[in-house]
């Protein structure tokens, strides 16, 4: 449930495991039932790797509530000087993130995000200082133009200039928006944006965007 509620599930899982001995395997499965990667991590002794495209994944169940299947690599493969094979069987409930779906335009979080994207495109530092909430104090200090300009440069990186909101979900204090749009370099970006409610307004927190083909 904690992983489902987190913007980055990996961060949540790692925080829960912390320094404990042991480990876990994370399997990524797309909506069409194909694999999108596996991550393995173990502590004491330490070991980890990422892989995709190896072995055979077969799903026995894929519904809104449950996912079950089998991923096997019977012939050992070499990963950076070590060999691995695996025989993974899984049967797990699908845990929905908290909150409810937002309107198609993203509602108030969507409106705030579009205003933020417009301010980034225009380089409106005054507006961005309002829109970034408490973090604006160190990200865009009013007495350090060089720092503010460097932050603006970072914010523009991969930021769609006129983002389209595909869908969204919110629990009232946080909102996740699925967005798409073209950045300043004419590269189409798609992914998620996290908005946080702070002092009765929605604040941009972070984004997880990837470039995609047209």
């Amino acid at each position: 449930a904690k992983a489902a509620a987190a913007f980055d599930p990996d961060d949540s899982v790692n925080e829960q495991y912390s320094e404990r001995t042991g480990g876990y395997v994370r399997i990524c499965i797309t909506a069409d039932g194909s694999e999108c990667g596996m991550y393995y991590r173990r502590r004491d002794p330490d070991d980890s790797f990422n892989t995709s495209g190896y072995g055979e994944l077969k799903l026995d169940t894929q519904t809104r509530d449950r996912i079950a299947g089998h991923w096997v690599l019977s012939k050992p493969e070499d990963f950076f000087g070590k060999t691995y094979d695996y025989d993974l069987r899984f049967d797990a409930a699908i845990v929905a993130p908290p909150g409810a779906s937002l309107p198609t335009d993203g509602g108030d979080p969507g409106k705030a995000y579009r205003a933020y994207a417009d301010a980034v495109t225009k380089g409106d530092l005054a507006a961005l200082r309002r829109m970034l909430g408490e973090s604006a104090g160190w990200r865009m200090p009013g007495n350090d133009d060089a720092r503010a300009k460097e932050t603006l440069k970072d914010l523009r990186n991969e930021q769609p200039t006129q983002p389209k909101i595909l869908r969204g979900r919110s629990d009232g204090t946080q909102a996740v928006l699925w967005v798409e749009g073209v950045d300043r370099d004419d590269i189409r970006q798609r992914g998620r944006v996290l908005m946080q409610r702070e002092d009765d307004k929605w604040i941009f927190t972070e984004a997880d965007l990837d470039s995609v083909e047209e």
Side-chain angles (χ1 to χ4, degrees):
K2 289 182 179 180
F7 185 69
D8 188 330
D10 288 343
D11 285 349
S12 175
V13 172
N14 287 328
E15 182 181 348
Q16 291 178 64
Y17 271 90
S18 187
E19 302 301 314
R20 290 159 45 190
T21 298
Y24 64 91
V25 175
R26 182 198 69 213
I27 297 173
C28 175
I29 300 173
T30 64
D32 66 5
S34 58
E35 61 96 345
C36 46
M38 176 197 301
Y39 175 65
Y40 159 71
R41 180 198 178 203
R42 184 183 70 196
R43 286 192 53 80
D44 195 21
D46 292 350
D47 193 17
S48 67
F49 73 85
N50 283 294
T51 185
S52 181
Y54 290 91
E56 182 179 357
L57 171 68
K58 179 182 179 182
L59 296 183
D60 301 318
T61 302
Q62 186 180 18
T63 67
R64 293 185 59 182
D65 303 316
R66 195 155 212 85
I67 185 123
H70 185 202
W71 195 353
V72 59
L73 176 66
S74 56
K75 182 180 178 181
E77 292 282 351
D78 179 81
F79 294 90
F80 299 100
K82 296 182 180 181
T83 57
Y84 298 90
D85 60 272
Y86 41 84
D87 189 342
L88 303 171
R89 296 181 184 275
F90 52 91
D91 187 346
I94 295 177
V95 180
S101 297
L102 290 169
T104 53
D105 63 353
D108 289 339
K111 181 179 179 180
Y113 175 63
R114 285 190 293 271
Y116 161 82
D118 186 57
V120 170
T121 299
K122 294 178 179 178
D124 190 336
L125 298 183
L128 287 172
R129 288 187 176 103
R130 295 192 301 270
M131 294 176 181
L132 292 173
E134 294 181 0
S135 71
W138 59 270
R139 298 175 78 179
M140 285 192 161
N143 59 354
D144 189 342
D145 288 343
R147 169 64 175 164
K149 290 179 180 179
E150 187 64 27
T151 296
L152 177 61
K153 180 180 177 181
D154 292 340
L155 295 178
R156 282 176 167 171
N157 185 37
E158 300 181 349
Q159 171 61 47
T161 57
Q162 294 182 313
K164 177 183 178 181
I165 296 173
L166 306 175
R167 60 191 175 97
R169 191 174 186 90
S170 175
D171 63 0
T173 59
Q174 287 189 336
V176 178
L177 305 173
W178 282 259
V179 304
E180 181 181 56
V182 176
D183 64 17
R184 289 164 58 90
D185 297 319
D186 292 327
I187 298 174
R188 182 165 295 278
Q189 304 290 339
R190 183 183 299 147
R192 300 173 303 139
V193 171
L194 178 63
M195 305 292 288
Q196 181 80 35
R197 193 165 179 81
E198 185 179 300
D199 296 330
D200 294 327
K201 60 182 179 180
W202 288 99
I203 302 297
F204 170 83
T205 302
E206 61 179 303
D208 180 18
L209 303 173
D210 292 308
S211 57
V212 295
E213 296 182 358
E214 295 288 350

